[in-house]
Amino acid sequence: MAGCLVLFSGILVSTLTYSHLRAQMETRLQQDAQRQLQRLTIAIAPSLLKQDRISLNLTLSEWNTGPEITAIQVLNINQQVIAESGRQDTGLLELSQPVNQDNTAAGLLRARLDLSSAGQSARHYLALGLIASGLSALLCALLCYQLAERGMRYLRQLTVSLSNWQNNDKPLQLPPVPRIQEFTTIHRELNKVSQREQHQRAMEEALGRFVYGQVAEPNRLLRYHECALLFIEIQDLEILQSRLSADELSQALNQYHRLLSHAAKLYNGKLDRYIGDSVVMMFGIGRPGGGSHEALHCLYAAQLFLGLVSHLQEHDSKLTPVEFRIAAHWGNVLLAPITHDEKTECSLIGDTVHWASHLAGSSEENRLLVSQELVDHLPGDNAIQWEEGPVVSDLHGREQTSYWLTQLPEKNHSLIQRQIKHITAMTENV
């Protein structure tokens, strides 16, 4: 289309130039012929007054009129031809020039003018203009084709990348972007999508470690378990995704996963990922008749994890700071087996999990908020110090009392401090 527009413009300009140039050259030829006739009248005026035909014919035959003037006739005052030269072709332009001698009319000089040379010269320039227009149109078409092909190649590669991303569950790999403003904008926006997707994959992979690994005998798991729950909610994960690369985010979450794993291993807890950016640690799964023992282990594991986080954030400048909201609760949960890709996993179901999540939302950063139900399952002589927490409405709208854990018994507190030193020393050695 661009080539056609250039070609049309070139033809239009060449045609207008041809018309103007032809008219200009014909006018110049007429002016030159008129000047020649004026000089010729001066030369033949005396002979014309004497009616000397011989002198007139000699003068006409010797006069160099040029190729434009094809014929000349000399007429007397009676409009009779008394001398002539050249061929008298019809259809040619006729020029007349009166002959005067001392302000006396001696006759008339008439000439035939051929202006075809002006048309030939103008057509020559027209042909050059058309050739130049054709070449310009061809170059323009090739240039536009190359530019369009760069864009279309990018779009084709982008289509393949998006198809692979959607169908093969592969990371979004963007093709090299051409230097076109619109495509640069599209590439920049898609690159943001790709980075978010990579962050999401890294987060999914890192959080995927927080999965309860028991998959055997799913029928046994499909029942309610009375247990203690430690609900851990990761704060501002979206902000971390915008600040860190996918590898940095995965590395940071893996570090905190190791801390949770140590706490769970020491106190017989089971880690499982929950919906969103949260993790659940369960105590008493698969052991019927649990009670105060699992409730205490839940509190100890929470304090151990918070202590590990505080110690490492104070002493390890490379550790990415992540804040957590933690709540402890007691109740029944249903471990429902879910089969996906020939693999059976367990999913936590029940009001207890949702209430623990709601309770964690009312907690504060790096403090443990405990429900009344869990406090009721602790032994009576636990010597744990509490601070009254917020009154939180449960899922049924009933107000429930909660407590902040302020201090464990001195013996247990010292044990947890030794565990923190041992785990952090072991991590530093690694």
Side-chain angles (χ1 to χ4, degrees), residues 33-334:
Q34 198 73 42
R35 285 192 293 269
Q36 288 191 42
L37 292 179
Q38 289 175 358
R39 290 195 296 270
L40 183 57
T41 57
I42 297 173
I44 65 172
S47 300
L48 184 57
L49 285 175
K50 297 177 182 179
Q51 298 289 313
D52 187 353
R53 295 175 180 269
I54 297 174
S55 297
L56 290 173
N57 286 316
L58 288 174
T59 302
L60 292 178
S61 62
E62 294 176 357
W63 189 269
N64 185 14
T65 58
E68 289 79 19
I69 300 177
T70 60
I72 299 177
Q73 289 180 334
V74 179
L75 289 76
N76 58 18
I77 57 177
N78 296 323
Q79 298 298 311
Q80 294 177 346
V81 178
I82 59 176
E84 62 181 348
S85 66
R87 64 184 188 278
Q88 297 294 328
D89 295 332
T90 58
L92 299 179
L93 180 63
E94 183 179 285
L95 292 179
S96 297
Q97 179 66 38
V99 181
N100 298 317
Q101 179 70 29
D102 298 330
N103 296 327
T104 302
L108 181 67
L109 195 60
R110 183 185 297 164
R112 297 284 181 175
L113 187 60
D114 185 5
L115 300 179
S116 60
S117 60
Q120 292 176 357
S121 299
R123 285 191 294 272
H124 174 72
Y125 287 105
L126 174 63
L128 293 178
L130 293 177
I131 294 174
S133 299
L135 292 176
S136 300
L138 180 61
L139 292 176
C140 180
L142 290 175
L143 178 61
C144 292
Y145 173 78
Q146 291 297 326
L147 292 176
E149 180 61 24
R150 288 175 59 192
M152 293 305 298
R153 186 185 307 114
Y154 172 73
L155 291 178
R156 288 193 294 268
Q157 295 174 350
L158 182 60
T159 302
V160 174
S161 298
L162 291 175
S163 178
N164 292 333
W165 178 47
Q166 182 179 6
N167 299 329
N168 301 330
D169 197 27
K170 295 181 179 180
L172 179 58
Q173 300 292 335
L174 296 177
V177 60
R179 294 182 180 179
I180 301 175
Q181 179 61 35
E182 289 75 8
F183 289 156
T184 303
T185 303
I186 294 175
H187 187 87
R188 184 169 57 250
E189 296 301 323
L190 287 176
N191 193 46
K192 293 179 181 178
V193 174
S194 176
Q195 290 178 356
R196 286 197 297 268
E197 189 263 345
Q198 291 179 9
H199 276 87
Q200 188 66 27
R201 285 177 177 273
M203 186 182 68
E204 291 287 338
E205 182 180 353
L207 292 178
R209 298 175 180 269
F210 299 88
V211 176
Y212 182 30
Q214 183 173 355
V215 297
E217 300 185 35
N219 292 330
R220 290 186 56 190
L221 298 175
L222 189 57
R223 63 182 179 84
Y224 281 99
H225 299 260
E226 190 177 20
C227 64
L229 289 181
L230 187 63
F231 197 95
I232 303 145
E233 185 179 291
I234 304 174
Q235 294 294 296
D236 300 327
L237 193 56
E238 293 183 356
I239 298 177
L240 291 175
Q241 290 179 3
S242 62
R243 288 172 43 201
L244 304 177
S245 65
D247 293 337
E248 292 172 340
L249 179 62
S250 177
Q251 183 179 2
L253 292 177
N254 287 337
Q255 287 178 302
Y256 289 104
H257 169 260
R258 284 194 292 270
L259 302 182
L260 273 175
S261 298
H262 284 300
K265 184 177 181 180
L266 284 175
Y267 292 101
N268 298 319
K270 305 293 184 182
L271 277 178
D272 198 359
R273 183 185 172 189
Y274 189 60
I275 298 173
D277 308 329
S278 305
V279 180
V280 174
M281 191 181 297
M282 300 170 289
F283 300 85
I285 294 292
R287 292 193 299 272
S292 60
H293 189 68
E294 282 74 20
L296 284 173
H297 281 185
C298 180
L299 300 182
Y300 297 160
Q303 292 298 97
L304 175 58
F305 173 67
L306 291 177
L308 289 172
V309 171
S310 299
H311 183 276
L312 289 182
Q313 288 182 353
E314 291 175 1
H315 297 85
D316 188 355
S317 59
K318 297 181 180 180
L319 182 67
T320 303
V322 177
E323 303 295 338
F324 300 91
R325 289 187 179 185
I326 304 180
H329 185 49
W330 181 277
N332 289 323
V333 295
L334 178 65

